[in-house]
C-alpha cells in the first residue's frame, strides 16, 4: 500500500512529531512558518538553490505547505536552538506495505538550508534525527534519498552519510533550472543503520 491508502497517510501527522537534538529543532511545517521561510530564502543569494525548488515569497510558501498533505509529504521547518529558521527537510513518498500505522519505506529530502549553515553540524544533526525516527520508531525497511544527478555536492554528501548508490533514473522530473533532470538515487536499509548512526554521531561529537 502507498499514497492511495488515505487512512494511513493521514495518520502520519501524529507519527512524526517535533524532533530535536544536537543543536537543531525540527517542527512540522505549517503556514504559520511561511513568512519566516520566505525571509530566510529571500536573504540568500539568487543562485543559492540551483538544484532545489525553494519558494521566496510567503504566498508561495502558503500554497506549497497546503499542498503537502494531499501528496503524502511530511516536511519540517529546521530551526536552531534560538528558533531562527535555517531551512527545511523531511519525509515524503511514504509507502505502507503492511497492516500497521507506521510507513514501511520513505524518502528523506525536500532539504535546503540557508548558506551560512552549509558545511556545519546542521545537516548531519537533521539526518540523525530523521533517520533515527524512521529506523527506530517507524522501523522502516528502507530509506531512500535522491538528487539531481548533476548535483555533485549532494551526491557526495549522501555517500558520506553511508548511503548506497542505486543508479540514475533518466529524465525523472523537471529540474529546478527548468530542464528535465536525471535523478541519482541512494538508499539505506536497517542492517546499515548502526554504522551510519555511529558515523553521524562521531561528526556531532
Amino acid at each position: 500500500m502507498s499514497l492511495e491508502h488515505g487512512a494511513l497517510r493521514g495518520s502520519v501527522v501524529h507519527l512524526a512529531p517535533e524532533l530535536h537534538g544536537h543543536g537543531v529543532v525540527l517542527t512540522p511545517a505549517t503556514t504559520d512558518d511561511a513568512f519566516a521561510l520566505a525571509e530566510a530564502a529571500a536573504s540568500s543569494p539568487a543562485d543559492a538553490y540551483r538544484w532545489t525548488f525553494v519558494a521566496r515569497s510567503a504566498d508561495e510558501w502558503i500554497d506549497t505547505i497546503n499542498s503537502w498533505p494531499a501528496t503524502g509529504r511530511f516536511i519540517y521547518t529546521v530551526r536552531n536552538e534560538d528558533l531562527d529558521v535555517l531551512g527545511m527537510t523531511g519525509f515524503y513518498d511514504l509507502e505502507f506495505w503492511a497492516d500497521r500505522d507506521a510507513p514501511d519505506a520513505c524518502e528523506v529530502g525536500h532539504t535546503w538550508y540557508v548558506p551560512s549553515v552549509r558545511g556545519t553540524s546542521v545537516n548531519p544533526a537533521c539526518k540523525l534525527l530523521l533517520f533515527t525516527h524512521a529506523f527506530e520508531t517507524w522501523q522502516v525497511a528502507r530509506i531512500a534519498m535522491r538528487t539531481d544527478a548533476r548535483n555533485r555536492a549532494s551526491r557526495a554528501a549522501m555517500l558520506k552519510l553511508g548511503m548506497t548508490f542505486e543508479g540514475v533514473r533518466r529524465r525523472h522530473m523537471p529540474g529546478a533550472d527548468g530542464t528535465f533532470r536525471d535523478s541519482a538515487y541512494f538508499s539505506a536499509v536497517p542492517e546499515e543503520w548502526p554504522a551510519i548512526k555511529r558515523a553521524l554521531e562521531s561528526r556531532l561529537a
Side-chain angles (χ1 to χ4, degrees):
M1 293 175 284
S2 58
L3 291 181
E4 288 73 21
H5 199 326
L8 286 178
R9 184 180 67 212
S11 73
V12 172
V13 172
H14 74 265
L15 291 174
E18 178 180 301
L19 304 173
H20 55 86
H22 310 287
V24 296
V25 180
L26 276 57
T27 56
T30 72
T31 54
D32 290 340
D33 300 331
F35 288 97
L37 289 165
E39 184 177 4
S43 68
S44 304
D47 62 349
Y49 309 111
R50 180 180 179 188
W51 307 114
T52 306
F53 292 104
V54 178
R56 290 178 178 263
S57 75
D59 287 343
E60 287 179 300
W61 275 118
I62 290 170
D63 290 343
T64 298
I65 292 167
N66 282 334
S67 75
W68 284 334
T71 56
R73 287 164 169 78
F74 195 87
I75 311 300
Y76 291 99
T77 299
V78 179
R79 294 178 168 86
N80 59 21
E81 292 176 328
D82 294 326
L83 302 184
D84 301 313
V85 170
L86 306 179
M88 302 193 87
T89 192
F91 300 109
Y92 67 111
D93 278 8
L94 303 163
E95 297 187 48
F96 297 89
W97 305 335
D99 185 17
R100 66 190 193 108
D101 286 341
D104 297 287
C106 66
E107 291 201 30
V108 167
H110 281 281
T111 301
W112 63 272
Y113 303 113
V114 294
S116 61
V117 302
R118 294 177 184 173
T120 70
S121 62
V122 169
N123 186 53
C126 290
K127 292 302 186 290
L128 180 57
L129 293 174
L130 293 170
F131 278 45
T132 298
H133 189 75
F135 277 128
E136 298 183 11
T137 300
W138 285 347
Q139 297 186 338
V140 298
R142 163 188 168 85
I143 293 175
M145 297 180 71
R146 67 187 188 219
T147 187
D148 191 308
R150 299 167 293 181
N151 188 345
R152 294 182 180 180
S154 183
R155 293 178 67 159
M158 292 178 190
L159 290 174
K160 187 175 181 179
L161 280 174
M163 307 287 284
T164 297
F165 175 61
E166 292 187 327
V168 173
R169 186 173 177 182
R170 298 184 300 164
R171 293 215 171 184
H172 170 229
M173 60 186 291
D177 62 354
T179 66
F180 287 113
R181 86 172 209 189
D182 298 341
S183 293
Y185 273 80
F186 299 77
S187 68
V189 296
E191 293 80 3
E192 298 161 344
W193 169 231
I196 293 172
K197 185 176 185 179
R198 286 193 299 270
L200 285 169
E201 289 174 336
S202 70
R203 291 168 63 182
L204 296 168

